[in-house]
Amino acid sequence: MSSHTHEHHHHHDPEHTKVIVNRLSKAIGHLESVKKMVEDDRDCAEVLIQLSAVRSALGNCGKEILKEHISHCIVHAVEDGDDEAIIELNEAIDKFMKNS
């Protein structure tokens, strides 16, 4: 797995970051409860439904991050003529969509 080597020349909105972190924390908590359901030998259909909800929550986080990235990072990259940022975004979208 390649690491993210592109450097941002701006900062993300702290409020948006807080919202994303909160959403991820909720998804982590939800996934922990699904893990407990499995440990408690709960009904498989119930587990799958809850796992689907976690996957959906993660997908929604990804969409929000992508929207923020396009709105800010990519706008700045275009203004700066930073083609590498566009290439990295396209690679990230491919990976994100493959796993959704």
Side-chain angles (χ1 to χ4, degrees), residues 28-45:
I28 290 167
H30 196 164
L31 186 56
E32 286 290 341
S33 70
V34 174
K35 179 181 167 192
K36 179 95 169 83
M37 289 173 74
V38 172
E39 290 170 345
D40 293 345
D41 200 25
R42 297 275 295 276
D43 179 69
C44 291

Side-chain angles (χ1 to χ4, degrees), residues 15-33:
E15 279 303 309
H16 186 263
T17 298
K18 184 178 176 183
V19 167
I20 293 298
V21 168
N22 286 342
R23 283 182 174 207
L24 288 171
S25 294
K26 285 181 186 176
I28 290 167
H30 196 164
L31 186 56
E32 286 290 341
S33 70

